[in-house]
Every structure is written in structure tokens, then in C-alpha cells.
Amino acid sequence: MPWPQNTPPQRDGDAAAGIEVTDDFERFSQRNDIFTRAFWDERVKSKHTAKFFSSYRMEAAPRRGDGFTQRDFALRNAAWLISDVVSSRRAKDGIREGFQAAIRPDTPVAKDALEIDDPAKMSAEVKRIAEFFGADLCGVTDMDERWLYTARVDARDMSEAPHDLPDGLNSVIVLGHEMDKELVATYPSALAGAATGREYSHEASIVMQLAAYIRNLGYEAVPSMNDTGLVIPYAVKAGLGEYARNQMVITPEFGPRLRFSKIFTNLPLAHDVPQPLGVKDFCSICTKCADACPVKALPYGEPSTDTANVSAIKGVRKWTSDAEKCFSFWAKMASDCAICMRVCPFNRDYSKRRNRLWLRLALSPLRKLALRLAGKHGQRTKPAEWWDKAANTPAE
């Protein structure tokens, strides 16, 4: 829906987050995301998209290609299991939790709310509990309604339906979940899809547990994954990283190699601030992701407000992919693709000193030298090598 004319779309803190919102800003309808369009939009829907979705829920059709064998699909689909259980539990009502509707809280809000006199201390506690449950990153930002979807999607007919979020939610807790580096190195393959599925299953568990903790303290908490709102701007505003050419958030801890989830809450919390480090400047001289994309779905040049694709938000100056080209490749493979993540120079193991030194260089005025040093970084590992390593790992 168009943004109200008497309400400027820009906000304090946008510049620090690298967010540039223009006067023609419109909130995004989740009905137009590329995955939902594959169920109703004849420009996207095809026999390939139908096979893509069914391959996750029924016996996949393995093929001879390395990374697409029966065991590759078996591991990928097993990794998605917990996420699937959660997303399917209210399917008969058209509610696909975690993807096209918020996750239903399983814990009532305690009648008596814990008194919070120090929001900063409470934020630190939430981050510690998030780490305890298994989150790799955690940040807190304000409930910015610009990034909420205009509605949820009724999965029975792909129509729009109300979010039904509780009143008074004013904070968003953003959680980051690291993807397995060795599996990511095998993209594109069904095997690599296990890295995605594992984190969706992890985040489903983690957001539900953390939300239950908050609700037991006497405050509203709505666990959320891909549903309800755009997580990337919340993650950037929460200081977890910066937006990049490959459409991902680059974090100092894991580069682009993680998934994000979120919790909407009214728990009194201190908010984090964006931490621009220089990723945009590096991406401006680096096109490795765009060069490597098999269907050329990623943009070259500088960020723009080009929204020729209906699956892109309007009125935000940023790098924007061609979602239709991207998803067409996913559908034909019957698995997700993250070549752009694999080849990104920021995709490194930062527990190693040499990679931490490279990061400092990449975020400095010597970024061109860092790009040259990246060389052929991110070359693909054959899926068979991943299985061979697993088979040859000695038992403890």
C-alpha cells in the first residue's frame, strides 16, 4: 500500500543503517514474494516450481549429477523436518507458520509481569538467553512498521489476511543462525540445501523457546521467521551487519553465511544501533556474486530504486535482484541456490587470524588490495568430497 502522504517515509537512523527510502515508498505485500507467487502467478508458476516444492515434502527424484543423489536429497529434507512440523501444524486453516504467517505462541503471557527497571540490562539478558538456546547472533531494534508486510497470506488460496499481531509491540529481537561452511561450499546442490534446512529447523526451535521465555516474564512475544515482515532491514538496524550486492547481510562474524529470524515484543529493551563498517564500499568495487550467478539475476552498478520486478519493494534505493530469474534456476534444480553466498569474499572462517586480517583490509581504504587478494576465493567443493570426508572421519 502507498505510504501515507502526510508521513515522511524516512526515519532517524536510516543513514547510519545504509537505508535510503524515497518518497514513493510502499510497504511490501508478501503475496508478491517470489515463493508465494509460484502458487498463484502464471508468470512464475510452472511444472518446475511444482516439482521444486514437492521435492521437499515427498520422495525427491534423484539424478546422477553429483550433489543430487538420493542421499543428498535425504539429508536436505531431513534437515528441514522440524521447520516443516511447525509450518504445517495449522495448514488446514491456511496458516503456514514461520513462512506466510507468524508462529503461534505455545505459552500464555504470565498474568504478573516482571518489573523491568533497566532495559539495557534486559537486552543483555535476552542476548545471553538467545545464545543459550543456540542463536549465533542477537540484536535488538525498534518495531519499524515500514518493514511489516501489508498482510499475511492465507495458504489455502493465496489471498491476503490480517496479521492479528498484539497491540503495543515496540521492539524486534533479531537472531542470526550460522550456516555450515563446508556444506555452503558445495552450492549449487541438494546437499548444500541441508545447510539451509538445518538453520530453518534451528531457528524455529530457538525463536519459539526465546518467545516462551519472554511470555513467561509477562510480556508479549511473537516468534517469526520469513513471515510478518522483512528481516533484512531489521537485522541491519539492529547492528548485526550491512546489506550487500548479493542481497544478503554481511556480518563481521560469519560474512553472509547465516539465516535470520525475529521476535516481535513489548518487553522493555534497549535498542542496538547500526554499525556501518564499509561493506557497501567494498561491494561497489566487487562483482563476484553477479559474475558467478548462472542466470545473471544479480545487479551490476550502484544501488538504485529500479523495481521492474513485482517481487521487489518499492521506494528503497538498494541493490535488487531479478527474483524471477533467480527462482527459475532454483525450480529447475529442485533445490535452493546460494552460489552468491559461496563466492562472496566475506564468506570466511573468522576464527582464523588471516581471515580477520583480510576483513580489516577489506573494510579499509585498501579494499582494492583485499579484492585482489580474494582471487578465486569461494571455489566449489564437489559434494562427493563432503561425503568422503564424512566417511573418513574417525569415530571418537
Side-chain angles (χ1 to χ4, degrees):
M1 69 175 56
W3 198 248
Q5 292 299 312
N6 61 347
T7 306
Q10 300 84 15
R11 294 282 180 86
D12 292 340
D14 281 357
I19 296 172
E20 185 177 348
V21 179
T22 64
D23 289 340
D24 58 348
F25 172 80
E26 294 183 15
R27 281 172 57 190
F28 188 70
S29 169
Q30 192 178 15
R31 189 171 183 270
N32 286 331
D33 80 40
I34 196 65
F35 302 101
T36 304
R37 286 176 63 199
F39 288 98
W40 67 265
D41 191 338
E42 296 302 326
R43 293 170 294 178
V44 179
K45 185 178 180 181
S46 70
K47 64 179 182 180
H48 293 299
T49 61
K51 289 181 180 179
F52 170 82
F53 290 115
S54 66
S55 74
Y56 286 83
R57 305 294 180 264
M58 299 181 287
E59 182 179 351
R63 48 190 187 270
R64 291 184 178 179
D66 186 17
F68 296 92
T69 65
Q70 184 175 353
R71 64 179 179 177
D72 295 314
F73 279 105
L75 182 61
R76 185 200 68 176
N77 292 7
W80 277 92
L81 179 63
I82 304 304
S83 173
D84 290 344
V85 169
V86 173
S87 66
S88 300
R89 61 182 182 170
R90 288 198 289 168
K92 62 180 177 56
D93 299 319
I95 297 174
R96 188 165 178 250
E97 296 181 63
F99 291 89
Q100 290 159 332
I103 299 174
R104 177 191 62 200
D106 292 284
T107 303
V109 176
K111 182 179 179 180
D112 298 319
L114 178 72
E115 184 176 345
I116 308 297
D117 55 10
D118 188 342
K121 186 176 180 181
M122 193 69 240
S123 286
E125 179 176 313
V126 163
K127 291 175 183 179
R128 183 182 180 190
I129 300 303
E131 181 181 8
F132 167 74
F133 284 131
D136 296 296
L137 296 178
C138 181
V140 184
T141 187
D142 62 299
M143 173 68 150
D144 190 333
E145 69 274 13
R146 294 176 301 176
W147 314 124
L148 292 179
Y149 295 133
T150 56
R152 70 170 177 85
V153 177
D154 187 319
R156 292 170 296 190
D157 59 6
M158 298 298 132
S159 62
E160 293 191 334
H163 283 305
D164 296 328
L165 288 173
D167 293 331
L169 302 177
N170 53 19
S171 293
V172 184
I173 302 166
V174 186
L175 307 171
H177 313 271
E178 183 193 4
M179 296 171 66
D180 184 89
K181 188 175 186 298
E182 292 186 349
L183 283 174
V184 167
T186 69
Y187 271 114
S189 67
L191 173 63
T196 303
R198 188 189 74 171
E199 295 321 309
Y200 271 111
S201 286
H202 280 177
E203 66 184 79
S205 170
I206 293 166
V207 294
M208 292 172 72
Q209 290 172 304
L210 183 55
Y213 173 75
I214 294 170
R215 294 172 73 83
N216 280 325
L217 295 180
Y219 295 90
E220 289 284 2
V222 180
S224 170
M225 298 194 324
N226 284 4
D227 58 274
T228 310
L230 298 162
V231 73
I232 284 180
Y234 286 125
V236 172
K237 289 191 67 181
L240 297 183
E242 296 176 75
Y243 185 71
R245 185 186 297 276
N246 59 8
Q247 324 291 287
M248 300 174 188
V249 176
I250 304 297
T251 67
E253 297 85 358
F254 308 108
R257 200 180 60 257
L258 72 173
R259 318 296 308 180
F260 289 102
S261 60
K262 53 196 180 294
I263 294 172
F264 301 98
T265 185
N266 63 354
L267 179 69
L269 296 169
H271 295 166
D272 295 301
V273 296
Q275 301 181 43
L277 300 172
V279 169
K280 181 180 178 182
D281 291 334
F282 185 90
C283 285
S284 292
I285 65 168
C286 178
T287 59
K288 287 184 178 294
C289 58
D291 294 338
C293 180
V295 290
K296 301 306 174 188
L298 290 172
Y300 289 94
E302 293 301 307
S304 73
T305 56
D306 180 15
T307 54
N309 193 293
V310 70
S311 292
I313 191 170
K314 294 181 180 179
V316 179
R317 188 179 303 278
K318 65 184 186 69
W319 283 296
T320 300
S321 67
D322 186 322
E324 293 179 5
K325 285 184 178 179
C326 178
F327 187 59
S328 69
F329 185 68
W330 288 35
K332 289 176 182 177
M333 285 199 307
S335 195
D336 56 307
C337 171
I339 294 174
C340 51
M341 178 188 292
R342 189 195 84 213
V343 303
C344 178
F346 288 106
N347 174 29
R348 294 170 184 263
D349 177 359
Y350 290 108
S351 67
K352 297 180 179 179
R353 184 171 180 272
R354 68 175 182 273
N355 288 331
R356 295 195 299 273
L357 292 174
W358 179 90
L359 181 64
R360 291 178 60 184
L361 199 65
L363 300 177
S364 78
L366 297 175
R367 63 187 68 90
K368 288 185 178 180
L369 174 59
L371 181 57
R372 289 199 297 272
L373 291 174
K376 296 181 179 180
H377 174 84
Q379 289 192 310
R380 184 175 186 253
T381 297
K382 293 181 179 179
E385 294 178 13
W386 186 90
W387 286 109
D388 289 343
K389 183 175 180 180
N392 295 324
T393 299
E396 294 184 0

